[in-house]
Amino acid sequence: MDLTNCFIFFLLLTSLYFALTRKTPPKKHPPGSTGFPLIGQTLSFLHAMRTNSIEQWLLQRTSKYGPVSKLSLFGTPTVFVHGQSANKFIFTCDGNVLGNHQPPSFKRICGERNMTALIGDDHKRVRGALVSFLKPEMLKQYVGKMDEEVRNHVEMHWHGNQKVMVMPLMKTHTFNIMSSLIFGIGKGETRNNLIELLQHMMNGLMSLPINLPFTRFNRSLKASAQLRAFIKNLISERKAALEQRVADTRKDLIACLLGIGKTEPSIRMSDEEIVDNVIGVMIAGYDTSSVLITFLVRLLGMDRSVYDKIVQGKRMIQVPGRWANYDFGPSTMLKSGI
């Protein structure tokens, strides 16, 4: 009996040995290098982003490795594709062939249920809920709020100044409008605290995912946790107000998403999904909108013919309850700040 047990044990060890030492055919990977573990090409990529030389950085990879190459960014294995055929493949294949995938650092900051991290039916459901906030009948409710924010901003930061830094002001202006439309929060200490949290989160998105004290990523995670706690409390307040019928579902984005869950169950969102996607909306709209407005103002400041055409073609614009006559006023020296 002992001899039989020894023989069986020997067979198991032999099988395990051959299983571990058996050579598997190498997987077919595109050319390129993933660099050092975790770091990869992240540092050179970030340097190119900050020095506005990202196009040259990408062209160098293309000339060295061809239109398809592998690399590592933010601790994630990545494939870089370039050219018309690659673009056609990316934008025409469905989610079953190529799914959206965000780096782990992005998910940890913005959440697992963020729309950009979802695929298939979940992505369609969450997108449908968010798009409902942008319907024309909903947007009409926010024109007055946006008009008031614009007037206050121009009065406070532009009137009487011969020189203004456009980019920082546009970031502040964009965030003020977002705070009003997303949270229903006016100017004050709460709004000032929120913009600091958002800026810390934005800095962490484009950094190495190393969660050590005093790193950008660590500060970003802490800011994300604080912002999540704030949004969760706001959701609880909105739920209570809606149940007592003392709040309108058109008050802000959070109230809208909570109201949609009752009227359209097919696109209902959980509290976690609301938190993650509110953060996603803030991050998506903060930089893109402020940069776009900055370049529009820069065009007006640099090209007199465009400025004159807009002034000549200005019209009376109606907003709820009053008429507003928009005028750029006297010529102002502009500095873009970018």
Side-chain angles (χ1 to χ4, degrees):
M1 188 68 177
D2 293 337
L3 184 60
T4 303
N5 290 335
C6 290
F7 181 73
I8 294 174
F9 183 71
F10 174 77
L11 289 178
L12 291 174
L13 287 178
T14 305
S15 301
L16 181 62
Y17 172 79
F18 282 109
L20 293 176
T21 58
R22 183 179 59 185
K23 293 184 178 180
T24 57
K27 295 181 179 179
K28 188 177 181 180
H29 287 166
S33 170
T34 55
F36 291 105
L38 185 63
I39 297 176
Q41 286 76 25
T42 304
L43 295 180
S44 63
F45 176 79
L46 291 176
H47 180 265
M49 292 283 289
R50 292 178 180 133
T51 57
N52 199 28
S53 59
I54 189 63
E55 186 175 357
Q56 292 88 334
W57 189 87
L58 295 174
L59 289 176
Q60 286 177 0
R61 288 199 63 85
T62 304
S63 61
K64 185 175 182 179
Y65 298 113
V68 180
S69 61
K70 66 181 179 182
L71 65 159
S72 177
L73 293 176
F74 307 107
T76 304
T78 307
V79 175
F80 168 66
V81 294
H82 171 78
Q84 183 177 357
S85 299
N87 290 335
K88 183 178 180 180
F89 170 74
I90 295 294
F91 291 108
T92 56
C93 66
D94 57 26
N96 296 324
V97 177
L98 184 68
N100 189 16
H101 177 75
Q102 298 292 345
S105 57
F106 183 90
K107 291 183 179 180
R108 292 182 65 181
I109 295 172
C110 300
E112 296 281 346
R113 304 300 297 175
N114 188 282
M115 185 179 68
T116 59
L118 298 176
I119 60 175
D121 293 337
D122 283 341
H123 177 84
K124 293 179 181 178
R125 174 176 54 82
V126 171
R127 183 181 61 186
L130 293 174
V131 168
S132 64
F133 181 70
L134 302 176
K135 291 180 179 178
E137 57 269 24
M138 295 293 292
L139 292 177
K140 290 179 182 178
Q141 309 296 323
Y142 309 128
V143 174
K145 284 186 178 183
M146 297 172 68
D147 176 71
E148 184 178 358
E149 289 288 349
V150 171
R151 289 175 176 275
N152 291 338
H153 175 83
V154 172
E155 183 68 29
M156 182 179 299
H157 300 289
W158 289 69
H159 282 177
N161 295 327
Q162 292 299 312
K163 183 178 180 179
V164 292
M165 290 287 290
V166 180
M167 174 64 93
L169 289 178
M170 289 303 100
K171 284 182 174 289
T172 301
H173 178 51
T174 300
F175 183 81
N176 289 341
I177 292 179
M178 288 197 306
S179 296
S180 179
L181 300 186
I182 295 175
F183 303 123
I185 296 175
K187 57 183 179 180
E189 184 178 357
T190 300
R191 184 182 279 186
N192 296 335
N193 293 335
L194 288 178
I195 194 170
E196 289 185 10
L197 295 178
L198 180 61
Q199 288 171 344
H200 282 310
M201 291 174 61
M202 297 286 291
N203 291 335
L205 288 175
M206 299 296 288
S207 64
L208 283 171
I210 301 176
N211 188 15
L212 293 176
F214 311 112
T215 62
R216 284 188 175 185
F217 187 65
N218 179 264
R219 289 193 295 268
S220 182
L221 290 177
K222 290 181 178 179
S224 176
Q226 294 179 38
L227 184 57
R228 287 176 182 283
F230 170 80
I231 298 174
K232 288 179 180 178
N233 291 334
L234 204 58
I235 289 175
S236 299
E237 294 177 5
R238 292 288 184 273
K239 281 184 176 180
L242 290 173
E243 290 176 359
Q244 298 173 8
R245 297 185 178 181
V246 295
D248 190 349
T249 56
R250 297 170 295 183
K251 176 179 175 62
D252 50 48
L253 175 60
I254 294 178
C256 175
L257 295 177
L258 291 173
I260 288 172
K262 295 182 179 181
T263 58
E264 300 183 55
S266 62
I267 56 175
R268 178 182 298 171
M269 295 173 61
S270 65
D271 289 358
E272 180 186 0
E273 288 175 335
I274 292 177
V275 172
D276 289 353
N277 285 280
V278 164
I279 292 176
V281 168
M282 294 177 66
I283 290 177
Y286 181 61
D287 261 349
T288 53
S289 300
S290 57
V291 169
L292 174 61
I293 299 173
T294 298
F295 277 113
L296 288 174
V297 175
R298 182 177 183 273
L299 179 62
L300 294 174
M302 301 292 290
D303 195 325
R304 186 70 192 185
S305 63
V306 175
Y307 174 87
D308 291 338
K309 288 179 181 179
I310 292 180
V311 173
Q312 292 173 3
K314 69 179 181 178
R315 296 180 178 179
M316 302 294 287
I317 304 176
Q318 187 179 18
V319 297
R322 61 185 181 276
W323 288 85
N325 190 2
Y326 287 87
D327 192 353
F328 287 100
S331 178
T332 303
M333 183 184 296
L334 305 174
K335 187 173 182 181
S336 66
I338 57 175

